[in-house]
Amino acid sequence: MRSTIVIPNYNGMEYLEKCLLSIREDTKDHPVRILVVDNGSSDGSLELAEQTDGVEVIRMGANRGFCEAVNAGIRASDTPYVILLNNDLTVERGFAEAMEKALDEEPRAFSAGAQMRMMKAPDRMDNAGDYYCALGWAYDYGKGKKVSKRYLKPRKVFAACGGAAVYRRDILDQIGLFDERHFAYLEDVDIGYRARIFGYYNLYEPAALVYHAGSSVSGSKYNEFKTNLSSANSIYLIEKNMPPLQVFINLPFFLLGFGIKILFFCKKGLGKKYIKGLMRGFRIYYKEGGRENHVPFEMKNLGNYLLIQWELWINIVRRFLG
């Protein structure tokens, strides 16, 4: 047994049973440890998990967010690899084995993300890797696009989407677990960014296929909860991972990127929530202890910072042409 699958759950009754059944089918001949970390569910999904053979449950007692839940699962794991899965997806046969093989073949890889397709439109992509650009935007590559050859090739990505990804346990011990100040949203980009600073890289592995319902927790693609959290985390992500000089270099891009986002969310009727989230991001870093998690600049990592910066510029082009 080489992997522990960690599934954070909060009132996931609609999807959790299908998720667990698909994992059990996939791992009949390829055993893994399965941990459901429950964030205080009240819809019966906690009891469902506890009654499912081969599933261990960790009770958080209350909704402590994605990051704290998965960290509890990671700490409870005792395998070389940890696979994170959202509770609103199903996996295809060969998923776990493909996840492990991706890291087996790339010793410097920290993580690998699965090929994620839309559950309700299986001919369309949900995620083919997470990217981050100098505009301060993180985005899902291929989101909503028709499945095509470009999404069926393994490659390096900026970060693996934490909805369906495998992580190398010993590197987590080195760089730290998920930042619990994120609560939810952008935590996967943050940890992938952190690994990049330390000289590791992240992969996209299309042989590991999952189908994702999406928006099952927050309720929709754009809503007050998600808008507030994601905008706060977008500021916190920058402050904790970039040295001051890099922030200064990217400042014109950030002003443009966040300005565009403000206009976009104003049109959605969420402009105030977005701006309040941005301000909250600064408070998290400067007033609520976020500085403790800042990644200190070390000269030995200069080359990694230069490569990251080049990719941040390239990813602006990829965002509009990909």
Side-chain angles (χ1 to χ4, degrees), residues 277-293:
L278 296 179
M279 296 303 101
R280 181 170 174 266
F282 286 110
R283 290 199 306 273
I284 290 171
Y285 183 75
Y286 288 102
K287 294 185 177 181
E288 298 177 12
R291 284 184 176 183
E292 298 171 3
N293 294 331

Side-chain angles (χ1 to χ4, degrees), residues 150-252:
R150 74 166 64 184
Y151 305 122
L152 302 179
K153 296 178 180 179
R155 66 179 183 281
K156 292 181 181 179
V157 293
F158 192 87
C161 175
V166 61
Y167 297 88
R168 202 182 296 273
R169 186 67 169 79
D170 59 350
I171 298 179
L172 284 168
D173 291 337
Q174 177 188 351
I175 71 172
L177 304 187
F178 286 84
D179 187 338
E180 294 176 6
R181 284 188 172 84
H182 278 282
F183 189 84
Y185 303 117
L186 297 182
E187 71 290 324
D188 46 5
V189 175
D190 172 67
I191 202 166
Y193 197 144
R194 206 183 320 150
R196 296 286 303 276
I197 292 172
F198 281 83
Y200 302 104
Y201 54 86
N202 306 292
L203 303 171
Y204 167 66
E205 180 46 70
L209 175 61
V210 305
Y211 294 93
H212 184 218
S215 301
S216 64
V217 174
S218 58
S220 65
K221 187 175 181 181
Y222 303 113
N223 56 70
E224 292 187 0
F225 174 79
K226 183 175 181 179
T227 299
N228 185 266
L229 278 179
S230 59
S231 59
N233 290 341
S234 65
I235 294 296
Y236 181 46
L237 176 73
I238 292 168
E239 296 288 354
K240 66 169 292 192
N241 288 299
M242 288 191 181
L245 178 60
Q246 191 176 17
V247 174
F248 179 76
I249 290 170
N250 287 299
L251 188 58

Side-chain angles (χ1 to χ4, degrees), residues 15-294:
Y15 299 103
L16 184 60
E17 184 174 15
K18 290 181 180 178
C19 176
L20 294 175
L21 286 174
S22 71
I23 294 169
R24 291 182 64 189
E25 182 66 23
D26 174 43
T27 58
K28 282 180 179 177
D29 302 315
H30 191 85
V32 298
R33 186 182 178 195
I34 305 171
L35 285 175
V36 171
V37 185
D38 188 79
N39 265 332
S41 296
S42 58
D43 65 343
S45 55
L46 167 61
E47 291 74 18
L48 169 69
E50 290 178 327
Q51 294 166 11
T52 302
D53 291 340
V55 175
E56 301 173 51
V57 174
I58 297 174
R59 289 176 175 246
M60 300 296 285
N63 188 2
R64 302 183 182 276
F66 178 88
C67 295
E68 193 166 339
V70 298
N71 282 349
I74 292 169
R75 291 187 184 100
S77 68
D78 55 1
T79 52
Y81 299 145
V82 178
I83 298 174
L84 302 188
L85 284 180
N86 281 1
N87 62 357
D88 62 339
L89 54 74
T90 59
V91 308
E92 287 292 285
R93 289 295 298 269
F95 164 80
E97 189 171 3
M99 288 273 88
E100 294 174 357
K101 186 178 179 182
L103 295 192
D104 286 344
E105 296 179 349
E106 300 282 351
R108 293 294 295 176
F110 164 59
S111 69
Q115 177 192 169
M116 300 177 70
R117 298 188 189 181
M118 295 182 174
M119 189 177 289
K120 295 181 180 178
D123 63 333
R124 292 192 177 273
M125 296 298 300
D126 190 66
N127 183 286
D130 281 353
Y131 286 89
Y132 184 66
C133 71
L135 295 171
W137 300 353
Y139 58 92
D140 303 333
Y141 188 66
K143 182 80 170 182
K145 300 290 182 66
K146 282 273 190 179
V147 176
S148 64
K149 289 183 179 179
R150 74 166 64 184
Y151 305 122
L152 302 179
K153 296 178 180 179
R155 66 179 183 281
K156 292 181 181 179
V157 293
F158 192 87
C161 175
V166 61
Y167 297 88
R168 202 182 296 273
R169 186 67 169 79
D170 59 350
I171 298 179
L172 284 168
D173 291 337
Q174 177 188 351
I175 71 172
L177 304 187
F178 286 84
D179 187 338
E180 294 176 6
R181 284 188 172 84
H182 278 282
F183 189 84
Y185 303 117
L186 297 182
E187 71 290 324
D188 46 5
V189 175
D190 172 67
I191 202 166
Y193 197 144
R194 206 183 320 150
R196 296 286 303 276
I197 292 172
F198 281 83
Y200 302 104
Y201 54 86
N202 306 292
L203 303 171
Y204 167 66
E205 180 46 70
L209 175 61
V210 305
Y211 294 93
H212 184 218
S215 301
S216 64
V217 174
S218 58
S220 65
K221 187 175 181 181
Y222 303 113
N223 56 70
E224 292 187 0
F225 174 79
K226 183 175 181 179
T227 299
N228 185 266
L229 278 179
S230 59
S231 59
N233 290 341
S234 65
I235 294 296
Y236 181 46
L237 176 73
I238 292 168
E239 296 288 354
K240 66 169 292 192
N241 288 299
M242 288 191 181
L245 178 60
Q246 191 176 17
V247 174
F248 179 76
I249 290 170
N250 287 299
L251 188 58
F253 296 98
F254 291 150
L255 292 174
L256 176 61
F258 287 114
I260 292 171
K261 287 281 190 177
I262 288 171
L263 292 175
F264 174 84
F265 281 103
C266 282
K267 289 183 178 180
K268 295 286 184 182
L270 294 167
K272 288 184 179 179
K273 280 291 180 183
Y274 184 79
I275 293 170
K276 285 182 179 179
L278 296 179
M279 296 303 101
R280 181 170 174 266
F282 286 110
R283 290 199 306 273
I284 290 171
Y285 183 75
Y286 288 102
K287 294 185 177 181
E288 298 177 12
R291 284 184 176 183
E292 298 171 3
N293 294 331
H294 181 78

